[in-house]
Every structure is written in structure tokens, then in C-alpha cells.
Amino acid sequence: MVLVAAPARSRCATYDGGVTETRKRVLLAKPRGYCAGVDRAVQTVEEALKLYGAPIYVRKQIVHNKHVVSTLEARGAIFVEENEEVPEGSTVIFSAHGVAPEVYEQAKQRSLKAIDATCPLVTKVHHEARRFAAEDYDILLIGHEGHEEVIGTAGEAPAHIQLVDGPDGVDKVTVRDPNKVVWLSQTTLSVDETMETVARLKTRLPLLQSPPSDDICYATQNRQHVVKEIAPECDVVLVVGSRNSSNSVRLVEVALDGGARGGYLIDYASEIQEEWLEGATTVGVTSGASVPDDLVTEVLDHLAERGFADVTEVTTAEERLTFSLPQELKRDMKAAAARTLP
Ligand code: 0O3
Ligand code: SF4
């Protein structure tokens, strides 16, 4: 079902579901932007800075967004690639994408105070990997080679997991027992491409089992679904997100597959090129799960200055999920609050 909100900026815009519209307009996708896991991870760094003071070390980008990272850096977060770069005894936060068990081990050896900002929905996939490995399954992990989430999940059971990087990766798969194979996936993949990969795997492995529940998370699915709805109406879709953000990149692909003439990924409104808008009547706007909404507001302002002032928000799902902060941080926050009581 598509819910169409009252136009965000003009009283006369309509989402016409196919009727030709000649007036310049924007279709603004909802849901877009921060998911529950990103919100929690960013808050984790912010609260840690408040509680322990700067600097706070963060292993890898907390989320894959240039603006989020530079904003937190300005507040005193230091982003590092590996635990070895963190001075012994310091606090380190692990990013939302998850880490392999050996990373916790290294942190312990360096006496680091580790705070785990892994999204609980990524942790769920780690648990699935551990459980199927314990039952001696071959696990086919569908995901993008080199992505941090895939490295973390694969690290749970390297001897049982092999990566399948999209439909073209299927032919390389070899399993010990075709009766005991399961597929799992990265949380931020294209739903359609993943189903294609699974279909191909099943032609080779008819008894392939599926994850107990969706590994591609609700936020990824919702953001792709609304873009699919608006793309046929759009000349151009602008996706706010960074190049290394898997879910943001997928949204551009979904827009193009859905019929948009152009689809562009931008970190900031200033990157919009005038020729992208030439001859365009309807511009779609959305953002990846790691993108703060003020960046989208800047894009809308930029478009309004170029005649695209009519904005209609198209809603295909309401999201209410939230996650509480990591236990280790909550414990310290509670202890600090107790110390300040009279
Ligand atoms: O996994 P992806 O590259 O899309 O990461 P982002 O952009 O930081 O978005 C949040 C997703 C995440 C932390 C893992 O699911
Ligand atoms: Fe969690 Fe999904 Fe957000 Fe990733 S995209 S952080 S799995 S909610």
C-alpha cells in the first residue's frame, strides 16, 4: 500500500500514480535515512564522548557516511582501521557493521575497553552463522567481497562459510554435502538480486535451506520498496549516501531498474550537476540508512531553488523500531548518574 502524505512544501502537488504531470515536482521517499541500527551506533559514539571525554577511538567508520564520520571526528572521535592503532587501555567502539570474534580477542589482549555498536540485526546473522556451523552445515554467505559486515560474519565460522558475491558467484560454489547447505546474507543487499542468486543456487543445490528469518533487514527492504514505487514516475532519482555505503548504492540500482532515466548518489547537495535536472519534471529523492535527514533537507532546498518546490512525500511503510544502547555503555552511564546523585 502506498500512503501519500500531504505535500511537504506546497499545497498543490499530487502523486498521480501514472497521470502525466508537467509541473516540476519532487517525490520524497519514506522511509529513508537513519535506520534503528545506525541511530543506535551514532548515539553510542556521542554518549561515549560525553561520558568518557575525547578522544574516543572507533574501529572502522561507525557507519558508512562521510558526513557522520567527519561530524563525530570534529567532536573528538578518532577513527582507526585496526585495534593496534588504539593506545593500550583506551576505549574503542566497534562499528555498526559487526566484527569477527578475533577482533574482541585482540582488544582484550591490548586491555582495551570495547563497546560493541554492532546492529542487533547483524548480530542475529552472526548467531545464525554460529548455529549452522555448530551443526556442521556448509554456509553460503551472499554478500559483497571485502565489505566489513561480510568479513565480520564470515569470521564467526571461517571453515564453514564461503562467500557468494551475487549471481555470478554461484558457479564457483562447492559443498561437502548437498543435503546440508544453508544460505545467509549481508543485511544491506538488493532484495531482487539476492533472490536471483538464491534461485541460481537452488538449480545447483535443490535442498539448499534458507535463513530462519530475513537476513536483509527491514530498513534495507523498506528503502528499496519505496524507491521501486516512485521510480517509474521519476525522470531522475537522487540518493543521498556515500560511495562505500552498500545500502545507498543499492538504492541507485533499484531506481534505475525501476525505470528512472537517471539515478545519482551524492554525499551533499552541492554535488548535484545542473545537467542531471535538464528536461526533468519529476525528481525522486531518498537517502541510505546511514544518512542524517538534514542532508536531505539541503537537497530539497537546492531543488526548490531550481523550480522543484512541490514536494510530495510518498510513504510505503512506517518504522517504529528502536534499539537500546550497548549494555557496557548503559552500565557506565548508570554508574555515572548514580555518582552525581546528592
Ligand atoms: O552496510 P552498508 O555499507 O550499507 O553500511 P551503512 O551505509 O553504514 O548503513 C548501515 C548498515 C549497517 C551498519 C550494516 O547493516
Ligand atoms: Fe541494522 Fe539494517 Fe540498519 Fe544495518 S541497515 S544497521 S542491519 S537496521
Side-chain angles (χ1 to χ4, degrees):
M1 185 179 54
V2 179
L3 308 168
V4 183
R9 289 169 177 244
S10 156
R11 273 174 287 142
C12 55
T14 54
Y15 174 62
D16 57 21
V19 178
T20 309
E21 171 66 79
T22 50
R23 198 167 11 84
K24 285 181 175 178
R25 64 175 185 167
V26 171
L27 295 181
L28 177 61
K30 187 179 170 198
R32 63 178 179 277
Y34 271 20
C35 59
V38 165
D39 197 33
R40 172 184 188 257
V42 173
Q43 267 191 55
T44 298
V45 181
E46 288 169 346
E47 292 298 332
L49 281 165
K50 273 193 238 161
L51 187 63
Y52 310 115
I56 289 290
Y57 292 84
V58 184
R59 183 183 176 278
K60 309 283 184 190
Q61 292 190 340
I62 185 73
V63 294
H64 291 153
N65 185 266
K66 215 188 228 184
H67 185 72
V68 169
V69 169
S70 57
T71 305
L72 291 172
E73 257 169 355
R75 292 190 201 166
I78 297 179
F79 291 89
V80 298
E81 281 305 301
E82 294 304 339
N83 285 337
E84 293 139 42
E85 297 163 62
V86 182
E88 292 214 9
S90 309
T91 299
V92 65
I93 298 175
F94 297 147
S95 84
H97 314 92
V99 295
E102 64 183 20
V103 176
Y104 295 99
E105 210 36 58
Q106 292 160 359
K108 214 183 276 172
Q109 280 162 18
R110 290 184 69 72
S111 309
L112 303 181
K113 178 187 177 62
I115 298 176
D116 186 6
T118 303
C119 175
L121 299 180
V122 174
T123 304
K124 184 203 80 170
V125 183
H126 282 230
H127 288 154
E128 288 169 356
R130 281 207 295 273
R131 175 160 77 78
F132 284 110
E135 292 173 25
D136 204 26
Y137 275 75
D138 276 335
I139 300 166
L140 307 180
L141 178 63
I142 303 174
H144 296 298
E145 190 161 14
H147 190 282
E148 272 142 36
E149 182 183 327
V150 157
I151 294 169
T153 307
E156 289 288 353
H160 286 82
I161 295 181
Q162 55 188 301
L163 183 69
V164 184
D165 194 346
D168 294 340
V170 170
D171 292 342
K172 285 181 237 151
V173 168
T174 54
V175 298
R176 292 167 303 160
D177 177 358
N179 300 309
K180 221 170 169 189
V181 193
V182 63
W183 71 270
L184 301 178
S185 87
Q186 189 179 330
T187 56
T188 51
L189 298 183
S190 151
V191 175
D192 291 345
E193 192 188 82
T194 304
M195 288 309 112
E196 192 189 326
T197 307
V198 172
R200 275 213 218 173
L201 282 168
K202 281 191 172 161
T203 62
R204 293 197 51 208
L205 300 161
L207 296 177
L208 177 68
Q209 293 183 38
S210 299
S213 62
D214 286 353
D215 284 350
I216 299 180
C217 79
Y218 79 98
T220 301
Q221 295 195 33
N222 286 345
R223 281 152 192 67
Q224 289 177 17
H225 182 218
V226 63
V227 169
K228 251 191 194 178
E229 285 288 336
I230 63 170
E233 301 271 329
C234 296
D235 299 299
V236 178
V237 174
L238 301 176
V239 178
V240 187
S242 293
R243 306 248 141 235
N244 61 342
S245 167
S246 166
N247 78 88
S248 305
V249 173
R250 302 291 80 79
L251 293 177
V252 178
E253 294 168 359
V254 170
L256 293 171
D257 288 349
R261 170 165 57 80
Y264 303 98
L265 185 69
I266 49 171
D267 269 297
Y268 295 105
S270 58
E271 294 169 14
I272 298 171
Q273 295 181 21
E274 298 301 331
E275 63 259 33
W276 297 348
L277 304 177
E278 264 168 33
T281 305
T282 302
V283 176
V285 174
T286 189
S287 55
S290 47
V291 180
D293 216 42
D294 48 356
L295 298 182
V296 173
T297 305
E298 284 171 17
V299 167
L300 296 178
D301 290 344
H302 181 104
L303 290 172
E305 283 164 18
R306 283 151 185 83
F308 294 89
D310 285 348
V311 180
T312 301
E313 193 165 63
V314 179
T315 307
T316 52
E318 296 289 349
E319 294 181 346
R320 291 184 188 89
L321 186 68
T322 55
F323 293 125
S324 61
L325 291 171
Q327 281 303 328
E328 50 280 30
L329 179 61
K330 276 204 310 199
R331 203 180 40 231
D332 286 358
M333 286 167 74
K334 213 168 150 191
R339 280 197 300 273
T340 57
L341 283 176

